[in-house]
Amino acid sequence: MSEEDILNPPRGMRDIVGVEAELHEYLADVFRETARRHGFKPIITPTVEYFKLFEMKSGEEIKRSMYVFQDKAGRTLALRPEVTASVVRAYLKEMRALPKPVRLYYVAQCFRYEEPQKARYREFWQGGLEVIGDPDINADASVAFAASSFLEAVGVKHYYVVGNVSTYRVLMDKMGVPGETQDLILHLIDKDRVGDALKVLGGVVTGDHVELFNKLLNSGLDEAPGILREFKLLGEGEQATLEAELARTREFIDLLNQMGFHAVYEPRLVRGLAYYSGLIFEYKTSEGLTVSIGGGGRYDGLTRVYGGEYEYSTGLALGLDRIALLLSPEKTVPRRSLIVVSILEGVPLKAGYELVKRITSGGLAAIPYRARTVSKALGFANKQGADAVVILGRRELESGVVTVKDMHTGMQSTIEAGDTDALIKLLEKHGGRG
């Protein structure tokens, strides 16, 4: 490997620096704060998990795109391709005794070995919300509302595309379609390869059922119950269950629209994760990206897959990398005032750092800078984009004062060094306009 190759990150991964890094940190901070405001508590799970955790119920596409390796003890591990499975595992291990519903949030990086392209990286960041132990549609609305609140806070216009995967799962169960074949069919539908999906289905069921299945894939919410009744293999209980799921889907869409969001039904929405069990949705934007910027839905019973009792669960994840592509760092990230503390020659560093401590305790950012002359300090401050310079030279130290220079106007003031409140107010007036 050449020196040039060493300086490049692996394909599909990237360095995030400068204003882009500031935007990334800002989005993560706003997501965390929004989640906390909506009653979610943090969870941090390992970046590396046992491969089996994801193999059991993540879906064909995820399994094929995982980074899988063996550790020195021969255990088969994987870099997490998503976080929900890890959250469920941690819930079963650590949180079963907590009062329900359990409301959790995370900000985490994930890894999938996919072909890199715009808005698709092999290492990517997600902000996620999960609610475990609540069967009510209010749980779905709660995560959706919190996520929309975050998107509105950072200035991303969005709308919802809503579906329900339970219809297809129940039908294929009744047709006798094996679970792995179901996963493949739904994966093909998710990739907009409906023709291929119907061919796979036609290999295991009769043509009439394939035709009705296709009809359902192209129906609206009003037509779907009537099409379901054409499947004579469904019993009354199953028919009622599926109609209830469709009614739940309509209620969710209506609620989102009533709250001022825009939501539409999409019968072909199935999403790529095999653990979804019912209502599902995606966040879309008309501002330059055709791919979704997030999504989620019901994964009732995933706890049982990992040996726990059946729990109702719902959640979502937003793609922070994709959201960042929609935003201008300069316009999005709030500008924070910056102060340079110029510690001139002959002044003990201790005195300069005491000054820095007082300035930062007042909520301003400060850089200590040791310089021979004031002009060098001002040159450094100018390159850093500082708002003001606090000059501490031998003369100021002996007189018990500091000099404050506004880098925007050139205005200069002298103030007693010991009066912290007055110093902070002066910095805010002269240089801390942010």
Side-chain angles (χ1 to χ4, degrees), residues 355 358 400-402 415-426:
L355 195 53
R358 287 161 50 207
V401 299
V402 293
I415 188 170
E416 288 188 18
D419 192 341
T420 300
D421 289 341
L423 176 61
I424 296 298
K425 287 179 182 178
L426 183 63

Side-chain angles (χ1 to χ4, degrees), residues 185-399:
I185 290 169
L186 293 176
H187 165 71
L188 292 170
I189 295 170
D190 182 53
K191 292 302 178 185
D192 202 26
R193 295 168 56 188
V194 175
D196 292 335
L198 295 175
K199 284 181 183 178
V200 174
L201 182 63
V204 289
V205 303
T206 65
D208 288 347
H209 283 150
V210 174
E211 186 178 337
L212 284 172
F213 197 87
N214 184 40
K215 196 173 177 182
L216 197 59
L217 284 170
N218 291 282
S219 70
L221 275 174
D222 292 333
E223 299 85 12
I227 296 170
L228 286 173
R229 294 187 194 102
E230 296 183 48
F231 284 89
K232 304 302 182 184
L233 70 172
L234 289 175
E236 287 186 12
E238 293 155 337
Q239 183 80 35
T241 297
L242 290 183
E243 290 189 11
E245 281 292 335
L246 291 172
R248 182 189 186 97
T249 306
R250 183 185 296 281
E251 183 181 0
F252 183 70
I253 291 172
D254 289 345
L255 179 58
L256 289 173
N257 286 321
Q258 289 162 12
M259 289 192 295
F261 307 118
H262 178 54
V264 295
Y265 177 66
E266 173 48 68
R268 297 189 182 191
L269 180 66
V270 294
R271 293 189 57 74
L273 293 164
Y275 53 61
Y276 284 121
S277 60
L279 176 72
I280 52 176
F281 53 91
E282 288 187 345
Y283 291 86
K284 297 280 191 176
T285 178
S286 55
E287 299 186 340
L289 283 182
T290 56
V291 294
S292 67
I293 56 173
R298 278 274 156 188
Y299 54 95
D300 299 331
L302 184 57
T303 46
R304 185 179 286 174
V305 173
Y306 300 126
E309 295 182 358
Y310 187 98
E311 291 286 2
Y312 294 97
S313 306
T314 189
L316 59 83
L318 296 175
L320 299 185
D321 308 270
R322 293 181 177 180
I323 292 168
L325 291 174
L326 300 169
L327 300 170
S328 163
E330 292 82 4
K331 294 180 180 178
T332 304
V333 181
R335 190 181 181 285
R336 192 172 186 176
S337 60
L338 176 63
I339 312 300
V340 167
V341 175
S342 172
I343 310 166
L344 296 181
E345 196 171 32
V347 175
L349 280 175
K350 177 177 178 291
Y353 275 91
E354 286 176 349
L355 195 53
V356 168
K357 183 177 181 180
R358 287 161 50 207
I359 292 171
T360 56
S361 69
L364 300 175
I367 300 175
Y369 182 69
R370 204 172 190 181
R372 278 187 160 190
T373 64
V374 172
S375 62
K376 286 191 175 181
L378 296 177
F380 171 79
N382 188 54
K383 290 177 182 177
Q384 295 295 317
D387 297 288
V389 178
V390 177
I391 301 166
L392 183 60
R394 261 188 278 186
R395 187 179 62 185
E396 282 87 2
L397 187 63
E398 291 169 359
S399 303

Side-chain angles (χ1 to χ4, degrees), residues 167-178 181-183 185-186 201 205 213:
T167 309
Y168 305 115
R169 286 288 189 189
V170 170
L171 284 174
M172 288 191 285
D173 281 341
K174 291 299 292 183
M175 293 176 194
V177 180
T181 305
Q182 291 187 28
D183 293 345
I185 290 169
L186 293 176
L201 182 63
V205 303
F213 197 87

